[in-house]
Structure formats: structure tokens, C-alpha cells
Amino acid sequence: MQLIDDSGNLFGLVNVVDALVVLLALAVGVAGVALVTADDGADESAPELSTTNATLDLGTQPEAVAAAIEAGDTHSPGGNSELTVTDVHVAPQGGDARVHVRVRLRGQGDNGTVAYDGAPPRLDRSLKIQTDSYAVSGTVQSTGGGAELPTRSTPVLIERTATVETAAATEAGQTIDFAGRDVATIESVTSYRTGEPGQRRLAVGIELVTVGEDRPRFGGQIVNEGATIPLTTTDHNLTGTVERVGATEPRGEATTREVTLEIDRASPELAAAIEEGDAERVDGRTVAEITGVERENATVVVTSDDGNVYLREHPVDQQVTITADLAVRETADGVLFRGQRIQRGSTVRLDLGDVTVEATVRSL
């Protein structure tokens, strides 16, 4: 029997063309069933993946490590879990860097939660981040929310004692950089003499880049009045006590007050050294200027042999009455001179260049 006869039939029974059509239809059908079966199997075996965001406190890290941490860094502890850094906040603390990061966690979803590396990212859970450049770990501070840390600019006024050189190098407009990031901007600087050679008292207004919503933090420290802010970098040492939060200028309105000062018993040399026009200036700013000087013999109390008390002129010492214009700030609580409240009876110190005097406020 011929395989295909003269009429084109296979084994004389079925037309060859018809047979090929049937075989092609069967092949397509089998392939379709296999594809559907494979898809069903994949749906059954592939776990459902979900993501959530979290904030990690990495504690203190060396400055070089803090500088290496960047948004976009990833870490996978295994399986379907993956961590991606989405935001970074760095601040100085104790010679190192305090680091907070925002991360996106991906893992298997279960009843609305994300199982990252085998467990949900619970508060205070420790998570690792390991890349080719660094390996750190931190505790979960919060979960949910967006991909960015709750950072903001917090204005503060910081006071500290500094050297004359540090005071001269601290200027408004300077941006403070740490670990490759801008962490603060100096908005105002007021310098006062302290009475100690080579020392100044600084009142520095700063805009801090803080982290936290209700209670902003900088370098692990909650920013509030009386707190010590650790602002020490390679180029700046402005660690000091917070005097104000929400403002970068000293309290009150800056003005000039005419005051009457008195030195009760001055030596003739001191009395002669104080002259009208003498002034105390700090960094080009006039703090006090003498507008008038009166001198007379000082009086002393003496007691006679019979017990009577008398006022007598001192044979040498003089009483010096000084009229001076002082740069002060007027506040609701009183008048501030060099940041300290003064009133009648207060003692003020004036550095007039060639001579330093301490006098009592008689009127203001």
C-alpha cells in the first residue's frame, strides 16, 4: 500500500492537508492547556509581596560612615525581603555622627502587614543595612507614612563662651557642613566681652536642620530651652546652651539707653583715666560710650572716740559719676545689657580700652 495515493490520501484514508490541519489544531490546544496550567501553578507558588516605610535610628557612627550612607542604598537579608534607604539625616554628637534613616521595606504580605526578614518591623526591632561601603544596624522608631524623614528647620539662639579667634571667625550667613551635608546655618552673631582676656560670650542665632515632628531633635538631643546642642564640626565649635527656640535674635528690642553710673571710691589714677568719649567696642559694634564725667572727693564714715559718727572727705579717693549710652535690649522683664538684666543698684563692667571700670547703676 502506498503512503500517499494518487488522490493525496494518507494510507488511502485521510487527505494529507486535512490531517495536517487536525494535527496543528491539536498542538495549539495542548500548548494552551500547558500555558494555563503553568500560570495557575505560578499563582499558587509565588508569595504576595508588600512594602512599608520605617524610620531607623542608627545611633552614633563615625563621620566617614555617615557620609557614605545615601538614599538609594539597598540591602537584602535573603528571600523576598529587601530594604532601600530613601532619606538620611545626620547631626554631630560627641565627636561622631548621629544618624537617622528612612527606609522602604519589602517582604511577604500577611493580613495587611509586611514580614521583613521573617517578622514584622516592630518598634525597637534591630535591622541591619549592609552595602559594599559600610555595615550598620539601627532600631525601628516608627513605621508607615511617606518615604521622607520628618525634618525641618528649627530656629534657636545658642549662648556659649569662646575664644576671641572663634568669635571673629563666626559670621552670619555661614553654612555648617558635617558628613557632607548641611546641618545648620548661622543667622546672627552677637559678641560680648567677659572680663577674661582672650574670651568672648557669644549669642549665636542658628537655623538647625532637625528631625522629628512634635519634638525636634538634633544630634540625639531634644531641642528646647536649656538643652545643650552638640554643634561641633571640623570648622566650627558652637556647642552651647539653648536660650531661645523659635527665634535667632536675643530677646527684646535693641535700643540705646542713657544711664548714670557711679564709682564710689576710685583712685586718683582711675578717676583721671575715665574721659568723655571713651567707648567699649566689640567687633566694630559700640556697646557703651561715655558722654559725661564728674569727679569729686569721696566721702567716708568715721567714728570719733566719743562714739559719734561723721561723714568726712576722703583724703585721696574720688567719687566718679559717669553718664553713658549703653546698647541694651528692652524686654517685658526689664532692660538687658550684654544679655544680663540691669536695674538700679546693679554693677556693670565697662572695658574702655586703656582702663576697665566697674560701676553701680544709679539711674536708667
Side-chain angles (χ1 to χ4, degrees):
M1 181 181 292
Q2 292 181 340
L3 181 63
I4 301 176
D5 61 18
D6 294 337
S7 299
N9 295 324
L10 184 64
F11 299 113
L13 299 174
V14 181
N15 186 274
V16 172
V17 175
D18 293 339
L20 290 174
V21 170
V22 171
L23 289 174
L24 179 60
L26 288 173
V28 171
V30 171
V33 171
L35 180 60
V36 171
T37 304
D39 288 344
D40 290 343
D43 289 343
E44 292 176 359
S45 60
E48 181 182 353
L49 299 180
S50 299
T51 62
T52 189
N53 295 314
T55 297
L56 302 184
D57 183 354
L58 303 184
T60 54
Q61 303 291 337
E63 184 177 348
V65 173
I69 302 172
E70 297 286 352
D73 293 346
T74 61
H75 168 69
S76 178
N80 295 311
S81 296
E82 184 178 69
L83 177 153
T84 302
V85 177
T86 59
D87 200 6
V88 185
H89 178 266
V90 175
Q93 181 178 339
D96 289 320
R98 186 64 177 265
V99 185
H100 291 82
V101 296
R102 190 71 170 163
V103 297
R104 181 175 64 250
L105 303 174
R106 187 185 70 171
Q108 185 172 346
D110 185 15
N111 295 325
T113 64
V114 176
Y116 174 79
D117 195 17
R122 301 182 181 92
L123 297 181
D124 283 337
R125 180 186 171 189
S126 180
L127 300 182
K128 294 181 179 180
I129 306 176
Q130 185 170 336
T131 70
D132 293 338
S133 302
Y134 61 86
V136 296
S137 62
T139 57
V140 177
Q141 300 295 297
S142 65
T143 58
E148 296 183 350
L149 287 165
T151 57
R152 62 179 172 177
S153 179
T154 301
V156 298
L157 183 72
I158 292 177
E159 289 198 358
R160 62 158 289 134
T161 300
T163 63
V164 172
E165 292 76 16
T166 296
T170 305
E171 299 179 354
Q174 292 177 334
T175 299
I176 300 177
D177 177 87
F178 182 71
R181 296 172 175 86
D182 293 341
V183 298
T185 302
I186 299 175
E187 298 292 336
S188 68
V189 182
T190 306
S191 179
Y192 304 109
R193 297 184 187 275
T194 64
E196 296 293 330
Q199 295 290 314
R200 293 285 188 271
R201 186 165 62 85
L202 296 181
V204 186
I206 302 174
E207 292 279 354
L208 297 174
V209 181
T210 59
V211 63
E213 296 177 347
D214 297 332
R215 307 173 73 187
R217 292 176 176 268
F218 186 84
Q221 174 66 54
I222 296 175
V223 180
N224 52 24
E225 291 187 11
T228 299
I229 297 301
L231 193 52
T232 301
T233 69
T234 303
D235 300 320
H236 294 84
N237 183 4
L238 293 176
T239 297
T241 303
V242 176
E243 293 296 319
R244 301 188 72 186
V245 177
T248 57
E249 294 286 344
R251 285 183 173 84
E253 180 181 354
T255 186
T256 300
R257 272 285 190 104
E258 183 180 82
V259 301
T260 301
L261 308 173
E262 186 176 275
I263 305 174
D264 186 39
R265 290 178 58 178
S267 67
E269 294 78 13
L270 175 61
I274 304 171
E275 298 180 354
E276 182 178 339
D278 288 346
E280 175 179 332
R281 295 182 175 87
V282 180
D283 300 330
R285 179 172 54 91
T286 300
V287 176
E289 183 173 2
I290 306 299
T291 59
V293 182
E294 296 180 1
R295 306 172 183 84
E296 59 183 8
N297 289 336
T299 58
V300 293
V301 177
V302 297
T303 304
S304 64
D305 293 339
D306 57 9
N308 292 319
V309 178
Y310 302 95
L311 286 178
R312 295 288 186 265
E313 290 187 355
H314 194 280
V316 177
D317 293 344
Q318 294 187 331
Q319 177 176 299
V320 183
T321 302
I322 302 170
T323 305
D325 289 336
L326 303 185
V328 300
R329 298 190 76 90
E330 295 181 346
T331 73
D333 296 327
V335 179
L336 303 181
F337 177 62
R338 292 203 189 97
Q340 305 296 321
R341 184 181 177 187
I342 60 171
Q343 56 188 359
R344 292 181 182 177
S346 298
T347 300
V348 298
R349 183 186 181 96
L350 302 180
D351 187 340
L352 303 177
D354 294 336
V355 61
T356 299
V357 301
E358 289 189 357
T360 303
V361 176
R362 294 306 180 198
S363 67
L364 73 159

